[in-house]
């Protein structure tokens, strides 16, 4: 198990490139000065980037290198899902200490490659730099979509329905349990929660099929918490939102996790980060078409409220009382981020 210092930069790059799968649409791939990619003239390029920093986004020893790679892919794939784009090509840069193990780097890159390949994308280039302190990773993901058809955060109107995939809060619940107990050796009652954090689903295929229904007027992915990201969509669309408490999907596993980690279930559900699920504004007349698209792929989809003309994001109880959603999502620079109910992973 040689370190990067022992093999040197160029051998490390040669080993990483040799292990990478080929990608479609690549005229010149990794190993040259730049990649050359073939674009379809009827489509638009959709581009996103996300960086992970050691001890903020991952902790050595808690998770395997493959998982770090897969989560880095998921963070970027989720942004393309929120635009209903098709992922194509990735560029990855990393700041690594010279004592970084070569096999661990290959495992990280393999985890990244597998997660990208599951949605038709591959890495076509990148760069390594040596660091002394915390290591970091940065992925840029390029995708495409039919010209003029990308979803955005703007476009929701009063009367549109609010839909959400999955069960927000599960990833943060899983992370808290992972921090307490480590990665479970076998099946446990919280395996599904651990999986939500270790291997977040990317809703790419669902988003692309959902785009075909034309039911979706606006979208955002939940990376910083349901309430915080819903508020961003509302701001971009200049609408407010009312969540119907009674319509929120029951999740006994999440409730059990909340009890075990001493968090309020409501805080976990609305304010915890890292789920990479989608929040959608749905034209009410096309709800059935969207439900059919979700059912066909086995994607959990819940309708949890509606957009309204009045500003603000509220939860409406069974008794009709309105209260603001807890919305302390993750903010990289705000002091208040330390007050989140669940310790964030970053
Ligand atoms: Mg996003």
């Amino acid at each position: 198990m040689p370190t990067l210092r022992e093999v040197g930069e160029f051998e490390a790059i040669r080993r990483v490139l040799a292990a990478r799968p080929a990608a479609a649409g690549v005229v010149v791939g990794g190993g040259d000065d730049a990649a050359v990619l073939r674009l379809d003239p009827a489509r638009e390029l959709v581009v996103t980037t996300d960086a992970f920093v050691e001890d903020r986004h991952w902790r050595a020893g808690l998770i395997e290198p493959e998982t770090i790679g897969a989560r880095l892919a998921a963070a970027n794939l989720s942004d393309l899902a929120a635009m209903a784009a098709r992922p194509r090509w990735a560029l990855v840069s990393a700041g690594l200490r010279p004592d970084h193990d070569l096999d661990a780097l290959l495992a990280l890159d393999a985890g990244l490659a597998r997660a990208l390949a599951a949605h038709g994308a591959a890495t076509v280039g990148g760069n390594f730099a040596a660091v002394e302190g915390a290591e970091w990773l940065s992925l840029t993901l390029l995708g495409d979509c039919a010209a003029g058809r990308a979803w955005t955060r703007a476009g929701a109107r009063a009367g549109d329905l609010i839909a959400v995939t999955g069960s927000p809060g599960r990833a943060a619940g899983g992370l808290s349990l992972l921090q307490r107990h480590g990665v479970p050796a076998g099946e446990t009652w919280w395996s599904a929660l651990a999986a939500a954090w270790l291997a977040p689903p990317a809703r790419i295929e669902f988003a692309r099929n959902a785009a075909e229904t034309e039911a979706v007027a606006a979208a955002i992915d939940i990376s910083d918490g349901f309430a915080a990201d819903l508020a961003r969509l509302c701001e971009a669309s200049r609408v407010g939102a009312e969540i119907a408490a009674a319509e929120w999907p029951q999740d006994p596993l999440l409730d059990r996790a909340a009890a075990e980690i001493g968090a309020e279930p409501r805080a976990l559900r609305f304010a915890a980060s890292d789920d990479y699920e989608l929040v959608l504004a749905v034209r009410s007349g096309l709800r059935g078409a969207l439900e059919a698209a979700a059912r066909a792929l086995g994607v959990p989809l819940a309708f949890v409220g509606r957009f309204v003309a009045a500003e603000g994001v509220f939860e409406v109880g069974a008794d009709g009382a309105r209260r603001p959603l807890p919305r302390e999502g993750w903010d990289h620079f705000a002091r208040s981020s330390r007050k989140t109910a669940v310790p964030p992973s970053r």
Side-chain angles (χ1 to χ4, degrees):
M1 276 182 273
T3 64
L4 297 185
R5 181 188 288 114
E6 285 159 355
V7 296
E9 178 184 355
F10 299 105
E11 175 62 9
I13 290 172
R14 195 192 65 75
R15 293 282 297 275
V16 167
L17 289 180
R20 275 185 187 158
V26 179
V27 182
V28 177
D32 214 304
D33 292 287
V36 179
L37 308 170
R38 188 173 294 119
L39 298 168
D40 181 332
R43 299 175 72 84
E44 288 170 342
L45 202 53
V46 184
V47 183
T48 185
T49 190
D50 222 320
F52 276 18
V53 178
E54 187 181 16
D55 290 332
R56 290 179 77 77
H57 296 83
W58 84 85
R59 298 208 174 98
L62 177 65
I63 58 172
E64 298 294 321
E66 290 89 340
T67 302
I68 299 169
R71 284 186 49 78
L72 181 64
N76 284 272
L77 287 164
S78 175
D79 278 328
L80 289 198
M83 309 295 288
R86 169 178 70 161
R88 303 293 309 273
W89 308 291
L91 298 167
V92 64
S93 290
L96 304 169
R97 287 185 295 270
D99 65 355
H100 196 106
D101 183 80
L102 175 63
D103 290 339
L105 174 61
L106 291 169
L108 189 151
D109 202 67
L112 175 64
R114 255 195 304 277
L116 292 173
H119 302 284
T123 307
V124 297
N127 175 247
F128 294 139
V131 297
E132 298 300 323
E135 297 191 325
W136 54 266
L137 302 163
S138 174
L139 189 77
T140 298
L141 184 60
L142 297 88
D144 64 9
C145 72
R149 303 305 300 272
W151 290 343
T152 69
R153 298 175 182 185
R157 292 191 308 235
D160 287 343
L161 306 176
I162 303 168
V164 62
T165 60
S167 181
R170 279 195 165 206
L175 175 61
S176 280
L177 291 165
L178 284 165
Q179 286 170 331
R180 275 176 174 70
H181 306 299
V183 177
E187 195 66 19
T188 68
W189 68 265
W190 53 279
S191 292
L193 303 186
W197 192 83
L198 292 170
R203 301 302 189 188
I204 295 285
E205 286 69 28
F206 165 68
R208 294 184 60 202
N209 290 357
E212 299 285 312
T213 70
E214 301 194 359
V216 177
I220 189 168
D221 71 312
I222 310 178
S223 47
D224 299 329
F226 173 84
D229 288 315
L230 173 61
R232 289 183 184 130
L233 188 154
C234 284
E235 203 178 320
S237 290
R238 297 165 181 271
V239 291
E242 287 185 355
I243 300 302
E247 286 167 36
W248 197 273
Q250 298 290 311
D251 190 341
L253 278 188
L254 189 63
D255 293 342
R256 186 169 167 188
E260 179 157 334
I261 64 186
E264 205 201 317
R266 203 166 158 268
L268 206 52
R269 195 166 285 141
F270 294 138
S273 61
D274 279 345
D275 283 294
Y276 301 126
E277 296 290 356
L278 297 178
V279 178
L280 306 171
V282 181
R283 301 291 191 224
S284 59
L286 291 167
R287 172 179 175 154
L290 191 66
E291 283 173 324
R295 213 164 28 239
L297 289 170
V299 171
L301 180 73
F303 287 82
V304 297
R306 57 176 63 235
F307 292 95
V308 295
E311 221 175 89
V313 176
F314 293 94
E315 184 183 15
V316 182
D319 57 357
R322 286 155 55 98
R323 54 177 175 166
L325 282 192
R327 65 160 286 188
E328 276 202 349
W330 176 256
D331 179 326
H332 285 268
F333 299 109
R335 294 173 63 86
S336 65
S337 61
R338 300 209 184 96
K339 290 188 290 186
T340 43
V342 176
S345 60
R346 29 197 154 178

